[in-house]
Amino acid sequence: MESTIGVSPAMGAVTTRTVVRGACPHDCPDTCALLTTVENGVAVKVQGNPEHRPTDGVLCTKVSRYAERTHHAERVLQPMRRVGPKGAGRFEPVSWGAALDDIAGRLRAIAARNPEAILPYSYAGTMGLIQGDGMAARFFHRLGASLLDRTICSSAGTEGLNQTLGGKVGMKVEFFRESRLIIIWGSNSIGSNLHFWRIAQEAKRNGAKLVCIDPRRTETAEKCHEHVQLLPGTDAALALALMHELVVNDWLDHDYLARYTLGWEALRERALRWTPERAAAVCGIPAEQIRGLARDYGTTQPAAIRLNYGMQRVRGGGNAVRAVASLPALTGAWRHRAGGMLLSSSGMFPVNSAALQRPDLLAGRTPRTINMVTIGNDLLRDASPAFGPRVEALVVYNSNPVAVAPESSKVVAGFAREDLFTVVLEHFKTDTADYADYLLPATTQLEHWDVHLAYGHTDVLLNRPAIAPLGQAKPNTQVFRELARRMGFDEPCFADDDETMCRTAYEGRVEFGELLSRGFASLRIPDAPFAEGGFPTPSGRCEFFSERLARQGLDGLPDHLPNYEVPGSSAAYPLAMISPPARNFLNSTFVNLQSLRDSEGEPLVEIHAADAQARGIADGAVVRVFNDRGSYLCKARVSARARPGVVNGLGVWWRKFGLEGTNVNQLTSQQLTDMGRGPVFYDCLVDVRLA
Ligand SMILES: Nc1nc2c(c(=O)[nH]1)N[C@H]1C(S)=C(S)[C@@H](COP(=O)(O)OP(=O)(O)OC[C@H]3O[C@@H](n4cnc5c(=O)[nH]c(N)nc54)[C@H](O)[C@@H]3O)O[C@H]1N2
Ligand SMILES: Nc1nc2c(c(=O)[nH]1)N[C@H]1C(S)=C(S)[C@@H](COP(=O)(O)OP(=O)(O)OC[C@H]3O[C@@H](n4cnc5c(=O)[nH]c(N)nc54)[C@H](O)[C@@H]3O)O[C@H]1N2
Ligand code: SF4
Ligand SMILES: [Mo]
């Protein structure tokens, strides 16, 4: 807390007003610095910190409502025990003591047979390093529970970057303002990376050209100079054809290629097989557009690519990221601080993960790993030598799997198992909370300590609690501390308080005093980190060819891998469906805020006029979207945002707000990406008919 202003009683009921520095907890590249105004213990306003350059005093609409979310009438504020059938969301209040005693007892009994029958399930409901997987990781490591492969968002792209650049590294976001050409690739920046968009706008005003590569005509695509509206899952083909053109026109930086890359000859040969005509047929766009884009990219310096995860949620997602991440090395774009590419900057943060998460508490045990993407299948699996024990207990925090995981019918069937013991730590009665045996009230970002990294800039942020926990809510850390004590885990690390853990996160690497006083601290990173190579790969070069992949028996070079469900390949399901995030929600968070729900409207599928007409579908009609995995009833929006052959099922709505109690994940599949074992949400064929 910093400024406490005594306000005279004459002015009204406000007697104290404080402004507290914090950090936005959400899974968003921007990681904004927050200023929360608190009056008499109530958070009344959350604003962007003007001193923090990336935030620049501006928040997105969603998080401007964070005080409303925190003080929401439907917050879960006391521990609850299920009384109705699973999924009904009927609970009775119970004391913390009774809830934690019973949970610890149940977990102890299961662990006595086999701790791997217990599974944590969490993702980035908060990106905080402490309330995320700090104390929770210590707890589950000490317990010897199954490990969770946290793949649901970015792991294909992560692996693609690892193989090519050596990690989640890239341009410093602030230098995009000096770029002459910006390619926004697989990203709806206005909706999901607002602060980058503001920088791109500055570049545009300075004369830069903006190009957007996206199957959907998003708000962002509309405002760029050019929109390349390719079919989903065809980005690698496009990138290879761009390379083709760079080669045949000799728009190459031969010196950069010779000094700082690996495998150029082999990549060159592969690229020469990808004529613009061949790629155009795969991508569903004109060959001339590919030639034009290649000319722009090959002849403009500095040129920058802002890639986002939207393009890697398909079978070939890892390869596609490898192909795109190779491009800047062909033209030597990395030589300029305003050139190169950025998908994620999170690999540049020197987090003391081992000290926070304490994998040493496994003490030599190597529990099995369960992929969060296939939770639907895995909850339904019996014990077997290959799989291990049946999952008997699930502890969910920072995630809403019933809404966000693919192939919901399986996920729901798994959560509905009578013999599954489910504990959910939450702010609200989400779709997942409805299946809990115990629903435990968690604090929000305004009520707890945390420390953050970012994936869209390079500042560390500290979050101080602005208000006391509401009702009986407890930070995730505190719940795991108290469970640890009941389980008899007496290692000193289970007594660390949250502030101590915040110090541990960057101990010896980032000045904690600076975090305490300013709320943020910038990492010291060179302006053009790869101007002279120095990539964090084994060779130190940009690895077009990856020995590591080749050794695994995989293709050492990036290639186009067609989708599992190739658009146009199925007579039964002629439409490809993507389901990108909604602007007014953050994945499935904020769906229960009336004001944001009103802005978003209702669950809908965008369909092109030609596809709608062929099916007799008028704008606003109720339609059934379906495939072999399931069906989803929603409204149709006949819209130029959809290209022919592709429908857009927006947002991750809570199932309970759907016309039939389902959402778009009723249709998505549990297949995995080529690398990183990630989900393929946007690799999905469907048909649509009038309901
Ligand atoms: N408002 C808002 N902001 C968010 C989120 C949110 O839900 N709402 N989600 C957050 C999360 S979890 C993440 S991971 C980040 C990043 O989130 P992303 O999922 O990358 O989100 P978007 O920036 O919307 O980018 C997705 C874009 O990719 C497009 N797309 C789909 N398939 C393809 C394809 O095959 N190729 C190409 N080129 N494009 C494709 C979609 O149409 C969409 O416009 O954003 C975060 N920010
Ligand atoms: N069809 C389709 N499905 C998708 C996507 C898509 O584009 N299309 N996007 C995917 C992506 S990129 C992602 S990242 C995943 C995201 O999936 P999730 O990580 O599950 O994200 P959310 O839906 O935001 O749910 C997070 C939950 O955590 C809770 N929470 C927040 N802070 C705290 C806290 O401090 N303590 C506790 N206990 N709880 C907290 C919130 O209330 C919220 O209910 O969804 C994926 N699912
Ligand atoms: S969701 Fe993103 S843009 Fe919105 S406040 Fe948080 S970090 Fe900033
Ligand atoms: Mo994500």
Side-chain angles (χ1 to χ4, degrees):
M1 269 190 262
E2 43 222 273
S3 54
T4 300
I5 306 162
V7 179
S8 85
M11 282 172 66
V14 179
T15 53
T16 61
R17 178 181 295 138
T18 58
V19 178
V20 183
R21 293 177 201 267
C24 175
H26 288 298
D27 187 350
C28 167
D30 298 9
T31 312
C32 289
L34 308 181
L35 292 178
T36 302
T37 305
V38 181
E39 289 176 358
N40 297 344
V42 176
V44 292
K45 197 162 53 176
V46 177
Q47 290 167 292
N49 185 345
E51 289 165 24
H52 182 239
R53 193 120 192 263
T55 306
D56 197 22
V58 175
L59 301 180
C60 63
T61 320
K62 314 174 281 296
V63 174
S64 315
R65 306 277 163 74
Y66 202 82
E68 186 186 328
R69 183 177 186 274
T70 292
H71 292 287
H72 196 288
E74 289 162 12
R75 269 286 296 278
V76 175
L77 290 176
Q78 55 187 359
M80 310 229 256
R81 181 164 52 204
R82 177 168 69 90
V83 290
K86 293 225 176 188
R90 286 214 303 279
F91 298 96
E92 64 182 6
V94 53
S95 72
W96 268 113
L100 292 176
D101 284 347
D102 193 23
I103 294 167
R106 300 280 296 258
L107 296 183
R108 231 183 356 249
I110 296 170
R113 294 194 299 278
N114 188 344
E116 292 182 30
I118 301 169
L119 178 68
Y121 196 98
S122 73
Y123 200 64
T126 169
M127 296 254 303
L129 298 170
I130 310 305
Q131 306 304 337
D133 281 286
M135 195 55 83
R138 294 177 182 183
F139 177 81
F140 291 109
H141 284 146
R142 172 67 178 76
L143 183 60
S146 285
L147 301 171
L148 184 73
D149 208 1
R150 291 181 171 78
T151 50
I152 201 142
C153 169
S154 60
S155 63
T158 298
E159 193 54 22
L161 282 186
N162 283 344
Q163 296 298 340
T164 307
L165 304 182
K168 292 205 243 187
V169 296
M171 285 174 64
K172 292 177 84 171
V173 70
E174 56 265 38
F175 296 128
F176 277 85
R177 53 170 61 83
E178 299 167 10
S179 307
R180 304 296 301 162
L181 172 70
I182 299 180
I183 302 180
I184 299 178
W185 199 321
S187 170
N188 182 6
S189 313
I190 294 180
S192 67
N193 192 187
L194 180 65
H195 295 78
F196 162 75
W197 177 251
R198 288 162 55 87
I199 292 173
Q201 287 302 98
E202 250 185 89
K204 190 180 177 190
R205 283 195 293 276
N206 294 333
K209 178 169 181 179
L210 267 49
V211 180
C212 181
I213 303 178
D214 196 311
R216 178 169 182 253
R217 189 155 182 84
T218 59
E219 305 89 313
T220 307
E222 241 161 39
K223 293 193 172 62
C224 288
H225 296 99
E226 189 175 343
H227 178 201
V228 181
Q229 198 168 7
L230 78 190
L231 287 166
T234 63
D235 300 272
L238 174 60
L240 286 160
L242 293 178
M243 292 180 201
H244 178 280
E245 291 301 287
L246 297 178
V247 171
V248 300
N249 294 290
D250 198 23
W251 291 319
L252 299 168
D253 183 334
H254 293 281
D255 180 62
Y256 197 93
L257 284 168
R259 286 173 194 248
Y260 308 128
T261 71
L262 193 74
W264 170 236
E265 271 314 307
L267 179 63
R268 183 177 176 279
E269 253 174 61
R270 176 153 303 171
L272 284 174
R273 298 209 295 268
W274 281 94
T275 60
E277 279 69 23
R278 180 179 172 201
V282 170
C283 301
I285 54 174
E288 262 329 293
Q289 192 173 33
I290 300 178
R291 288 207 171 80
L293 180 58
R295 186 173 317 110
D296 283 342
Y297 190 66
T299 61
T300 313
Q301 295 271 18
I305 300 173
R306 181 59 169 107
L307 195 62
N308 213 333
Y309 290 114
M311 51 78 79
Q312 47 98 66
R313 299 192 181 112
V314 292
R315 175 180 170 228
N319 266 277
V321 169
R322 293 205 67 213
V324 176
S326 296
L327 284 167
L330 270 70
T331 59
W334 289 117
R335 291 186 191 272
H336 308 262
R337 68 180 189 178
M341 58 94 66
L342 176 65
L343 169 53
S344 165
S345 57
S346 66
M348 302 197 262
F349 287 78
V351 181
N352 284 317
S353 303
L356 278 182
Q357 305 185 350
R358 299 291 307 272
D360 58 295
L361 293 170
L362 283 169
R365 295 168 294 180
T366 50
R368 66 157 169 207
T369 300
I370 288 186
N371 189 336
M372 68 190 301
V373 174
T374 54
I375 188 68
N377 283 342
D378 290 338
L379 284 181
L380 297 174
R381 256 185 243 285
D382 287 323
S384 74
F387 179 62
R390 190 162 163 86
V391 178
E392 292 180 58
L394 195 57
V395 182
V396 183
Y397 52 102
N398 305 339
S399 185
N400 184 9
V402 171
V404 306
E407 205 174 356
S408 314
S409 59
K410 300 265 179 67
V411 182
V412 165
F415 272 83
R417 272 175 45 200
E418 272 307 325
D419 62 339
L420 179 72
F421 178 62
T422 303
V423 178
V424 176
L425 285 63
E426 251 302 348
H427 301 149
F428 291 105
K429 243 167 79 181
T430 60
D431 289 332
T432 304
D434 285 344
Y435 287 86
D437 290 287
Y438 280 100
L439 174 54
L440 305 178
T443 46
T444 69
Q445 189 78 343
L446 301 190
E447 301 153 79
H448 56 226
W449 282 93
D450 219 325
V451 69
H452 289 253
L453 50 66
Y455 60 102
H457 62 66
T458 45
D459 294 343
V460 173
L461 275 81
L462 182 72
N463 183 73
R464 290 165 181 262
I467 57 173
L470 296 182
Q472 298 179 39
K474 289 183 197 276
N476 294 341
T477 46
Q478 187 58 21
V479 174
F480 289 108
R481 247 179 231 116
E482 293 183 22
L483 278 175
R485 187 164 49 77
R486 284 174 167 80
M487 306 282 290
F489 301 165
D490 52 11
E491 288 77 2
C493 70
F494 290 108
D496 286 353
D497 64 23
D498 287 4
E499 200 185 327
T500 304
M501 292 185 75
C502 287
R503 284 175 192 276
T504 303
Y506 291 101
E507 193 124 64
R509 302 169 185 191
V510 173
E511 185 49 58
F512 196 69
E514 191 180 351
L515 293 178
L516 281 173
S517 60
R518 293 173 75 204
F520 55 89
S522 298
L523 299 179
R524 275 187 290 276
I525 292 164
D527 285 356
F530 310 118
E532 294 174 23
F535 293 94
T537 52
S539 65
R541 293 165 175 246
C542 173
E543 298 197 349
F544 300 141
F545 183 86
S546 164
E547 277 294 344
R548 289 174 292 170
L549 287 177
R551 272 200 302 275
Q552 292 168 44
L554 299 171
D555 192 347
L557 291 173
D559 204 354
H560 168 63
L561 270 98
N563 279 2
Y564 289 111
E565 303 183 8
V566 178
S569 68
S570 154
Y573 305 118
L575 299 171
M577 185 189 76
I578 57 172
S579 45
R583 183 172 176 178
N584 293 289
F585 305 149
L586 202 302
N587 300 321
S588 78
T589 307
F590 295 105
V591 176
N592 61 324
L593 254 70
Q594 185 73 48
S595 57
L596 293 173
R597 205 160 63 237
D598 288 347
S599 321
E600 209 48 51
E602 55 197 331
L604 54 83
V605 64
E606 295 170 345
I607 184 166
H608 186 269
D611 293 323
Q613 208 168 23
R615 290 165 178 77
I617 294 168
D619 188 47
V622 175
V623 294
R624 187 165 292 286
V625 190
F626 60 99
N627 60 21
D628 288 340
R629 289 177 289 271
S631 94
Y632 168 48
L633 197 69
C634 64
K635 291 247 179 97
R637 177 171 293 164
V638 180
S639 163
R641 292 213 187 280
R643 60 159 283 164
V646 180
V647 294
N648 312 322
L650 284 196
V652 193
W653 283 79
W654 286 11
R655 289 164 60 86
K656 57 181 102 176
F657 290 115
L659 290 175
E660 272 182 333
T662 59
N663 73 11
V664 77
N665 279 320
Q666 202 74 9
L667 303 162
T668 52
S669 88
Q670 296 182 68
Q671 295 270 27
L672 301 179
T673 50
D674 55 347
M675 294 175 197
R677 308 163 303 284
V680 297
F681 290 113
Y682 306 166
D683 183 339
C684 177
L685 291 182
V686 300
D687 203 354
V688 180
R689 82 161 86 93
L690 208 53

